[in-house]
Amino acid sequence: MSVNPKFRTAILAIAAAVTLQLPITAQNPQGRKPAAEPYAWKSVQMVGAGFVDGIIFHPTAKGVRYARTDMGGAYRWNDTVKRWEPILDWVSYEDLNLMGVESIALDPADPDRVYLACGTYTNARTPNGAILRSGDRGRTFQRTDAPFKFGGNENGRGNGERMAVDPNDGNVLYLGTRQAGLWRSTDRAVTWSKVESFPDITEAPPAAATGQPAQPGRGGFGGARPSRGSGIVFAVFDPRSGARGKASGTIYIGASLMGRDNLFRSTDSGRTWQPVPGQPTQYRPNHAVLASDGALYLSYGTDPGPNRMTDGGVWKFNTASGEWTDITPDRPDAASQKAFGYAAVAVDAHNPRVVIASSFGRPRDAGGEDIFRSIDGGKTWKPVIGSGGTYDYSLAPYVAHTGIHWLFDIEIDPFDSNHAMFTTGYGGHETFNLTDVDAGKPTKWSVMSTGIEESVALELLSPAKGAHLISAIGDYGGFVHWDLDKPAPEGNFDNPHFGNTNGVACAENKPEVMVRVGAASGSRGGGNIGYSLDGGKSWQPPASTPQPNSRLGHIAVSADGAAWVWVPQGSPAYFTSDNGGKWTQSQGVPNNTRIIADRVNPRKFYALALFDGKLFVSSDGAATFAEQPVTLPDGLPQRGNRGDSRGGQDRIYATPGKEGDIWLAAFNGLYHSADAGKSFSRMGGVAEMHAFGFGKAAPSADYPALYMIGVVDGQRGIFRSDNAARNWVRINDDQHQWGLLLHITGDPRQYGRVYVGTHGRGTVYGDPGRKSN
């Protein structure tokens, strides 16, 4: 199961990145912007690789649906080509916070209208969120900045939907927030006002941690973290309480509270609110759906999730009689180590007595995660997966060994009772024979996330031969991409299998020698370093590691593949000359300092301590390093906020085919040295750097093409230079920005081809002069 470290560690990284919005003073006194060149952009196909936390079907327009992700934007389903299409690729670096989508709302009376509540984190350093509105199904948006924050990648992000459109009056929307109460718009989300009459749902901070250590197969992040709610988590209108053009009178609002009232109702179009009598308060609600017969179904857990739940249930509220009924399919029992909760609930639009509910953290020895189905309003249930459900993983082979988890949204297609979907930490699955379970037949599930790409790139490698791209990503290891337009049939890295892959490198002159480092994941782990001698077709762990706990960090491979240098996280550097049979500590280089190989001389390596003004050079295969000063024409930069620490800035890069030729891609500018770092010159026009790389030289050039992400002559974007950084051309456009970008590399075999690693929108590749899709 994914432990999703990006959720735990990226909060500060994103918060730091979004504080960078200061005026950029470029070296461009004439005010000219760089030239632009059209590029066609496509996603490298991994399929999913991140948490899809919500699916929203339009109730009256067949084939119209949207998906939201916790940090990778939102998608619209294209029913013609049968794939998801991103609708937030235009989000700029300045607005990267908007890539976390807290909620999506659709207007039941107008299938062209869609609303997004966007914002990734609620911490003090992250900007407020925004509500985006579209009248053309997300092809264009207008924006209203909110006076509060959203938590699209925080605990409870799978709850919802927090925003809803009145089915009787499309001018009216309600929006529940994490920290700022309930809000209402009466002009189709252009302006918003707080609903002051709504009860105070402020939750006191928990007194102490009450969580329990995570156990295999039990879901959540585990650990001893106290449970706390996630604000208002759903808004549900009763369409029977209004008429076309007249606002609905009855509205239900759910708050992620426990031990007190958590479901509230208004019967006067939101003027006054009362708690619903008799409601369960022993756990927190996370989803609610109103059936056409007036029954309100709710799912509950002791935590909003995906932090661990220890209890939960499914309840039915008869809105006519006021009667509550506990209809929990499989009752948790923490005392017998059967601690879990429920993540979501859905109802068939064609039959109000058909209900499905999903578990969260259900132990393997209790049957594991499942979807339960009832055809009698919750009186009896059948397990859907546990009744012989099967999976077809061909559309995303890597998920075959991952296991379903985080089923925080389940939906039944309102136009097809056999079509159901559920979300997971890697995307999701769908079936087209759901009703077969009623006859005792197995359901068949396939991957539903084609077109969704949510991985975080931690390193990109494009070798001189073999596969054109090797991706190192967070959570799901990485892939050898033999075909950029198809998911890797062998799945992600194995033997060893990683969660995060932090580094991957190959020998410049013998690229079939590859080494990758990361953190082992699950029972398939097998260690924190692996190597290949056939260009990534097969992998194996070395016979030894520098220390038993060596993990993550950075890896370098000499130009001839004979020497590898690993700097594990927080560790000294170690080198091996026998494929990891023995490791020896390098001398003369500080701990935790990234090392790179010269791309020509197999004995030469470099390491940079930028803020100390020191370059370390080895000429004996990384056995020893000699220190030399780094002198920059405008002085050394100061430590501080210099972009996302996982990005490609503040690093040195060795030029292919030229010994001793290195580039310093500092966050605040680009520097070049042709004498192994003895002197550096600053390249004009570059004011900010986030990533840097090389590609095949232009047809008339004798120097590799350069690629960078940053600011050139006052223009932010992705750039290529064909003349060693004397001039740059922008190769992306305002519709292709993808928020935060971390890495870039050109292709050494195809001029103009470039690969860009994003933070949550997968890896994209571009070619000159073709149409994007």
Side-chain angles (χ1 to χ4, degrees), residues 397-428:
Y398 75 95
V399 308
H401 303 287
T402 302
I404 62 171
H405 60 283
W406 296 8
L407 283 67
F408 272 93
D409 198 10
I410 55 174
E411 300 290 342
I412 300 175
D413 189 333
F415 291 87
D416 183 356
S417 297
N418 264 310
H419 182 207
M421 310 178 83
F422 68 83
T423 67
T424 71
Y426 53 75

mmCIF file of all heavy atoms in Angstrom, residues 397-428:
data_model
loop_
_atom_site.group_PDB
_atom_site.id
_atom_site.type_symbol
_atom_site.label_atom_id
_atom_site.label_comp_id
_atom_site.label_asym_id
_atom_site.label_seq_id
_atom_site.Cartn_x
_atom_site.Cartn_y
_atom_site.Cartn_z
ATOM 1 N N PRO A 397 -0.129 -1.710 -15.739
ATOM 2 C CA PRO A 397 0.373 -2.973 -15.175
ATOM 3 C C PRO A 397 1.023 -2.842 -13.802
ATOM 4 O O PRO A 397 1.022 -3.808 -13.028
ATOM 5 C CB PRO A 397 1.387 -3.428 -16.234
ATOM 6 C CG PRO A 397 0.900 -2.819 -17.506
ATOM 7 C CD PRO A 397 0.352 -1.479 -17.111
ATOM 8 N N TYR A 398 1.575 -1.679 -13.476
ATOM 9 C CA TYR A 398 2.285 -1.551 -12.200
ATOM 10 C C TYR A 398 1.365 -1.714 -10.989
ATOM 11 O O TYR A 398 1.837 -2.047 -9.895
ATOM 12 C CB TYR A 398 3.002 -0.202 -12.122
ATOM 13 C CG TYR A 398 2.112 0.984 -11.860
ATOM 14 C CD1 TYR A 398 1.926 1.471 -10.570
ATOM 15 C CD2 TYR A 398 1.446 1.620 -12.899
ATOM 16 C CE1 TYR A 398 1.109 2.569 -10.325
ATOM 17 C CE2 TYR A 398 0.628 2.710 -12.670
ATOM 18 C CZ TYR A 398 0.456 3.189 -11.382
ATOM 19 O OH TYR A 398 -0.358 4.267 -11.147
ATOM 20 N N VAL A 399 0.052 -1.482 -11.150
ATOM 21 C CA VAL A 399 -0.832 -1.546 -9.991
ATOM 22 C C VAL A 399 -1.174 -2.977 -9.597
ATOM 23 O O VAL A 399 -1.803 -3.201 -8.562
ATOM 24 C CB VAL A 399 -2.118 -0.731 -10.217
ATOM 25 C CG1 VAL A 399 -1.791 0.686 -10.656
ATOM 26 C CG2 VAL A 399 -3.045 -1.402 -11.211
ATOM 27 N N ALA A 400 -0.745 -3.955 -10.392
ATOM 28 C CA ALA A 400 -1.097 -5.350 -10.110
ATOM 29 C C ALA A 400 -0.603 -5.790 -8.736
ATOM 30 O O ALA A 400 -1.212 -6.657 -8.102
ATOM 31 C CB ALA A 400 -0.537 -6.263 -11.196
ATOM 32 N N HIS A 401 0.501 -5.206 -8.278
ATOM 33 C CA HIS A 401 1.070 -5.619 -6.993
ATOM 34 C C HIS A 401 0.834 -4.594 -5.889
ATOM 35 O O HIS A 401 1.358 -4.746 -4.788
ATOM 36 C CB HIS A 401 2.576 -5.840 -7.143
ATOM 37 C CG HIS A 401 2.934 -6.856 -8.190
ATOM 38 N ND1 HIS A 401 2.735 -8.203 -8.004
ATOM 39 C CD2 HIS A 401 3.467 -6.720 -9.436
ATOM 40 C CE1 HIS A 401 3.132 -8.855 -9.091
ATOM 41 N NE2 HIS A 401 3.575 -7.977 -9.970
ATOM 42 N N THR A 402 0.036 -3.571 -6.180
ATOM 43 C CA THR A 402 -0.103 -2.478 -5.225
ATOM 44 C C THR A 402 -1.220 -2.725 -4.220
ATOM 45 O O THR A 402 -1.097 -2.391 -3.048
ATOM 46 C CB THR A 402 -0.353 -1.151 -5.978
ATOM 47 O OG1 THR A 402 0.741 -0.925 -6.875
ATOM 48 C CG2 THR A 402 -0.453 0.010 -5.019
ATOM 49 N N GLY A 403 -2.316 -3.296 -4.653
ATOM 50 C CA GLY A 403 -3.437 -3.524 -3.745
ATOM 51 C C GLY A 403 -4.344 -2.311 -3.669
ATOM 52 O O GLY A 403 -3.878 -1.172 -3.576
ATOM 53 N N ILE A 404 -5.643 -2.551 -3.715
ATOM 54 C CA ILE A 404 -6.575 -1.431 -3.641
ATOM 55 C C ILE A 404 -6.533 -0.815 -2.242
ATOM 56 O O ILE A 404 -6.364 -1.500 -1.241
ATOM 57 C CB ILE A 404 -8.006 -1.852 -4.020
ATOM 58 C CG1 ILE A 404 -8.547 -2.910 -3.053
ATOM 59 C CG2 ILE A 404 -8.052 -2.349 -5.452
ATOM 60 C CD1 ILE A 404 -10.030 -3.206 -3.259
ATOM 61 N N HIS A 405 -6.678 0.488 -2.193
ATOM 62 C CA HIS A 405 -6.642 1.216 -0.928
ATOM 63 C C HIS A 405 -7.196 2.614 -1.159
ATOM 64 O O HIS A 405 -7.270 3.086 -2.280
ATOM 65 C CB HIS A 405 -5.216 1.298 -0.377
ATOM 66 C CG HIS A 405 -4.246 1.983 -1.279
ATOM 67 N ND1 HIS A 405 -3.712 1.372 -2.390
ATOM 68 C CD2 HIS A 405 -3.729 3.239 -1.260
ATOM 69 C CE1 HIS A 405 -2.893 2.210 -2.997
ATOM 70 N NE2 HIS A 405 -2.891 3.359 -2.348
ATOM 71 N N TRP A 406 -7.600 3.246 -0.087
ATOM 72 C CA TRP A 406 -8.102 4.621 -0.145
ATOM 73 C C TRP A 406 -9.299 4.736 -1.092
ATOM 74 O O TRP A 406 -9.348 5.600 -1.952
ATOM 75 C CB TRP A 406 -6.996 5.590 -0.555
ATOM 76 C CG TRP A 406 -5.862 5.688 0.406
ATOM 77 C CD1 TRP A 406 -5.638 4.903 1.507
ATOM 78 C CD2 TRP A 406 -4.779 6.621 0.359
ATOM 79 N NE1 TRP A 406 -4.489 5.287 2.144
ATOM 80 C CE2 TRP A 406 -3.941 6.330 1.460
ATOM 81 C CE3 TRP A 406 -4.433 7.647 -0.494
ATOM 82 C CZ2 TRP A 406 -2.773 7.059 1.723
ATOM 83 C CZ3 TRP A 406 -3.284 8.371 -0.244
ATOM 84 C CH2 TRP A 406 -2.466 8.078 0.861
ATOM 85 N N LEU A 407 -10.318 3.914 -0.881
ATOM 86 C CA LEU A 407 -11.529 3.941 -1.697
ATOM 87 C C LEU A 407 -12.451 5.064 -1.203
ATOM 88 O O LEU A 407 -13.569 4.834 -0.734
ATOM 89 C CB LEU A 407 -12.243 2.593 -1.653
ATOM 90 C CG LEU A 407 -11.666 1.444 -2.493
ATOM 91 C CD1 LEU A 407 -10.305 0.998 -1.971
ATOM 92 C CD2 LEU A 407 -12.628 0.259 -2.489
ATOM 93 N N PHE A 408 -11.965 6.300 -1.308
ATOM 94 C CA PHE A 408 -12.674 7.425 -0.707
ATOM 95 C C PHE A 408 -13.741 8.032 -1.600
ATOM 96 O O PHE A 408 -14.381 8.999 -1.213
ATOM 97 C CB PHE A 408 -11.688 8.487 -0.231
ATOM 98 C CG PHE A 408 -11.216 8.235 1.167
ATOM 99 C CD1 PHE A 408 -10.058 7.529 1.404
ATOM 100 C CD2 PHE A 408 -11.974 8.649 2.244
ATOM 101 C CE1 PHE A 408 -9.639 7.260 2.697
ATOM 102 C CE2 PHE A 408 -11.575 8.381 3.536
ATOM 103 C CZ PHE A 408 -10.398 7.692 3.768
ATOM 104 N N ASP A 409 -13.907 7.486 -2.772
ATOM 105 C CA ASP A 409 -15.102 7.819 -3.535
ATOM 106 C C ASP A 409 -15.513 6.600 -4.323
ATOM 107 O O ASP A 409 -14.675 5.922 -4.931
ATOM 108 C CB ASP A 409 -14.875 9.002 -4.471
ATOM 109 C CG ASP A 409 -16.196 9.626 -4.931
ATOM 110 O OD1 ASP A 409 -17.249 9.265 -4.372
ATOM 111 O OD2 ASP A 409 -16.172 10.476 -5.829
ATOM 112 N N ILE A 410 -16.774 6.295 -4.287
ATOM 113 C CA ILE A 410 -17.366 5.252 -5.114
ATOM 114 C C ILE A 410 -18.602 5.851 -5.763
ATOM 115 O O ILE A 410 -19.308 6.654 -5.152
ATOM 116 C CB ILE A 410 -17.721 3.984 -4.309
ATOM 117 C CG1 ILE A 410 -18.631 4.338 -3.118
ATOM 118 C CG2 ILE A 410 -16.468 3.274 -3.829
ATOM 119 C CD1 ILE A 410 -19.139 3.135 -2.353
ATOM 120 N N GLU A 411 -18.846 5.502 -7.002
ATOM 121 C CA GLU A 411 -19.966 6.077 -7.740
ATOM 122 C C GLU A 411 -20.605 5.025 -8.624
ATOM 123 O O GLU A 411 -19.921 4.148 -9.154
ATOM 124 C CB GLU A 411 -19.497 7.244 -8.614
ATOM 125 C CG GLU A 411 -18.858 8.396 -7.865
ATOM 126 C CD GLU A 411 -19.841 9.202 -7.026
ATOM 127 O OE1 GLU A 411 -21.067 9.105 -7.280
ATOM 128 O OE2 GLU A 411 -19.392 9.919 -6.109
ATOM 129 N N ILE A 412 -21.920 5.136 -8.785
ATOM 130 C CA ILE A 412 -22.657 4.361 -9.780
ATOM 131 C C ILE A 412 -23.074 5.329 -10.881
ATOM 132 O O ILE A 412 -23.671 6.378 -10.611
ATOM 133 C CB ILE A 412 -23.897 3.675 -9.176
ATOM 134 C CG1 ILE A 412 -23.485 2.719 -8.055
ATOM 135 C CG2 ILE A 412 -24.672 2.925 -10.256
ATOM 136 C CD1 ILE A 412 -24.675 2.100 -7.318
ATOM 137 N N ASP A 413 -22.727 5.012 -12.087
ATOM 138 C CA ASP A 413 -23.065 5.846 -13.232
ATOM 139 C C ASP A 413 -24.578 6.075 -13.270
ATOM 140 O O ASP A 413 -25.357 5.116 -13.297
ATOM 141 C CB ASP A 413 -22.598 5.141 -14.513
ATOM 142 C CG ASP A 413 -22.704 5.992 -15.762
ATOM 143 O OD1 ASP A 413 -23.557 6.898 -15.800
ATOM 144 O OD2 ASP A 413 -21.933 5.737 -16.712
ATOM 145 N N PRO A 414 -25.026 7.326 -13.255
ATOM 146 C CA PRO A 414 -26.483 7.566 -13.262
ATOM 147 C C PRO A 414 -27.176 7.113 -14.532
ATOM 148 O O PRO A 414 -28.416 7.053 -14.572
ATOM 149 C CB PRO A 414 -26.578 9.091 -13.084
ATOM 150 C CG PRO A 414 -25.264 9.630 -13.513
ATOM 151 C CD PRO A 414 -24.249 8.579 -13.165
ATOM 152 N N PHE A 415 -26.406 6.753 -15.570
ATOM 153 C CA PHE A 415 -27.005 6.291 -16.824
ATOM 154 C C PHE A 415 -26.787 4.797 -17.061
ATOM 155 O O PHE A 415 -27.247 4.272 -18.070
ATOM 156 C CB PHE A 415 -26.450 7.091 -18.005
ATOM 157 C CG PHE A 415 -26.900 8.516 -18.008
ATOM 158 C CD1 PHE A 415 -26.193 9.473 -17.316
ATOM 159 C CD2 PHE A 415 -28.055 8.888 -18.670
ATOM 160 C CE1 PHE A 415 -26.617 10.802 -17.288
ATOM 161 C CE2 PHE A 415 -28.499 10.205 -18.646
ATOM 162 C CZ PHE A 415 -27.782 11.160 -17.954
ATOM 163 N N ASP A 416 -26.095 4.131 -16.132
ATOM 164 C CA ASP A 416 -25.801 2.705 -16.332
ATOM 165 C C ASP A 416 -25.579 2.063 -14.967
ATOM 166 O O ASP A 416 -24.535 2.227 -14.354
ATOM 167 C CB ASP A 416 -24.554 2.543 -17.209
ATOM 168 C CG ASP A 416 -24.230 1.093 -17.512
ATOM 169 O OD1 ASP A 416 -24.910 0.189 -16.985
ATOM 170 O OD2 ASP A 416 -23.257 0.851 -18.267
ATOM 171 N N SER A 417 -26.560 1.327 -14.508
ATOM 172 C CA SER A 417 -26.484 0.718 -13.177
ATOM 173 C C SER A 417 -25.400 -0.337 -13.074
ATOM 174 O O SER A 417 -25.014 -0.735 -11.965
ATOM 175 C CB SER A 417 -27.836 0.093 -12.810
ATOM 176 O OG SER A 417 -28.838 1.086 -12.734
ATOM 177 N N ASN A 418 -24.891 -0.809 -14.202
ATOM 178 C CA ASN A 418 -23.819 -1.796 -14.192
ATOM 179 C C ASN A 418 -22.436 -1.145 -14.098
ATOM 180 O O ASN A 418 -21.450 -1.834 -13.830
ATOM 181 C CB ASN A 418 -23.877 -2.655 -15.457
ATOM 182 C CG ASN A 418 -24.629 -3.949 -15.222
ATOM 183 O OD1 ASN A 418 -24.352 -4.665 -14.277
ATOM 184 N ND2 ASN A 418 -25.612 -4.219 -16.076
ATOM 185 N N HIS A 419 -22.390 0.142 -14.342
ATOM 186 C CA HIS A 419 -21.105 0.843 -14.377
ATOM 187 C C HIS A 419 -20.855 1.534 -13.046
ATOM 188 O O HIS A 419 -21.586 2.462 -12.665
ATOM 189 C CB HIS A 419 -21.103 1.874 -15.509
ATOM 190 C CG HIS A 419 -19.816 2.609 -15.658
ATOM 191 N ND1 HIS A 419 -19.745 3.892 -16.190
ATOM 192 C CD2 HIS A 419 -18.539 2.261 -15.346
ATOM 193 C CE1 HIS A 419 -18.488 4.293 -16.201
ATOM 194 N NE2 HIS A 419 -17.740 3.312 -15.691
ATOM 195 N N ALA A 420 -19.840 1.086 -12.337
ATOM 196 C CA ALA A 420 -19.456 1.696 -11.061
ATOM 197 C C ALA A 420 -17.960 1.964 -11.067
ATOM 198 O O ALA A 420 -17.189 1.302 -11.768
ATOM 199 C CB ALA A 420 -19.823 0.787 -9.894
ATOM 200 N N MET A 421 -17.546 2.947 -10.277
ATOM 201 C CA MET A 421 -16.138 3.336 -10.198
ATOM 202 C C MET A 421 -15.754 3.523 -8.735
ATOM 203 O O MET A 421 -16.577 3.906 -7.907
ATOM 204 C CB MET A 421 -15.887 4.642 -10.963
ATOM 205 C CG MET A 421 -16.445 4.675 -12.366
ATOM 206 S SD MET A 421 -16.159 6.258 -13.203
ATOM 207 C CE MET A 421 -14.485 6.006 -13.782
ATOM 208 N N PHE A 422 -14.478 3.254 -8.444
ATOM 209 C CA PHE A 422 -13.946 3.642 -7.141
ATOM 210 C C PHE A 422 -12.544 4.200 -7.309
ATOM 211 O O PHE A 422 -11.811 3.842 -8.230
ATOM 212 C CB PHE A 422 -13.985 2.496 -6.132
ATOM 213 C CG PHE A 422 -13.064 1.336 -6.398
ATOM 214 C CD1 PHE A 422 -11.732 1.365 -6.011
ATOM 215 C CD2 PHE A 422 -13.546 0.173 -6.988
ATOM 216 C CE1 PHE A 422 -10.886 0.288 -6.229
ATOM 217 C CE2 PHE A 422 -12.709 -0.916 -7.210
ATOM 218 C CZ PHE A 422 -11.370 -0.858 -6.830
ATOM 219 N N THR A 423 -12.200 5.110 -6.423
ATOM 220 C CA THR A 423 -10.892 5.750 -6.467
ATOM 221 C C THR A 423 -9.908 5.035 -5.555
ATOM 222 O O THR A 423 -10.298 4.326 -4.630
ATOM 223 C CB THR A 423 -10.984 7.226 -6.041
ATOM 224 O OG1 THR A 423 -11.343 7.297 -4.653
ATOM 225 C CG2 THR A 423 -12.012 7.968 -6.870
ATOM 226 N N THR A 424 -8.625 5.237 -5.845
ATOM 227 C CA THR A 424 -7.562 4.675 -5.023
ATOM 228 C C THR A 424 -6.402 5.655 -4.947
ATOM 229 O O THR A 424 -6.390 6.690 -5.623
ATOM 230 C CB THR A 424 -7.016 3.354 -5.602
ATOM 231 O OG1 THR A 424 -6.259 3.659 -6.784
ATOM 232 C CG2 THR A 424 -8.114 2.376 -5.956
ATOM 233 N N GLY A 425 -5.390 5.289 -4.155
ATOM 234 C CA GLY A 425 -4.188 6.093 -4.063
ATOM 235 C C GLY A 425 -3.361 6.113 -5.330
ATOM 236 O O GLY A 425 -2.424 6.904 -5.443
ATOM 237 N N TYR A 426 -3.680 5.249 -6.304
ATOM 238 C CA TYR A 426 -2.948 5.247 -7.572
ATOM 239 C C TYR A 426 -3.860 5.546 -8.762
ATOM 240 O O TYR A 426 -3.450 5.430 -9.908
ATOM 241 C CB TYR A 426 -2.235 3.915 -7.804
ATOM 242 C CG TYR A 426 -3.123 2.685 -7.684
ATOM 243 C CD1 TYR A 426 -4.028 2.344 -8.680
ATOM 244 C CD2 TYR A 426 -3.034 1.851 -6.576
ATOM 245 C CE1 TYR A 426 -4.837 1.229 -8.572
ATOM 246 C CE2 TYR A 426 -3.834 0.727 -6.449
ATOM 247 C CZ TYR A 426 -4.731 0.421 -7.446
ATOM 248 O OH TYR A 426 -5.539 -0.690 -7.334
ATOM 249 N N GLY A 427 -5.107 5.894 -8.526
ATOM 250 C CA GLY A 427 -6.025 6.179 -9.616
ATOM 251 C C GLY A 427 -7.412 5.640 -9.325
ATOM 252 O O GLY A 427 -8.204 6.279 -8.640
ATOM 253 N N GLY A 428 -7.692 4.443 -9.833
ATOM 254 C CA GLY A 428 -8.989 3.855 -9.560
ATOM 255 C C GLY A 428 -9.336 2.744 -10.525
ATOM 256 O O GLY A 428 -8.589 2.427 -11.462
#
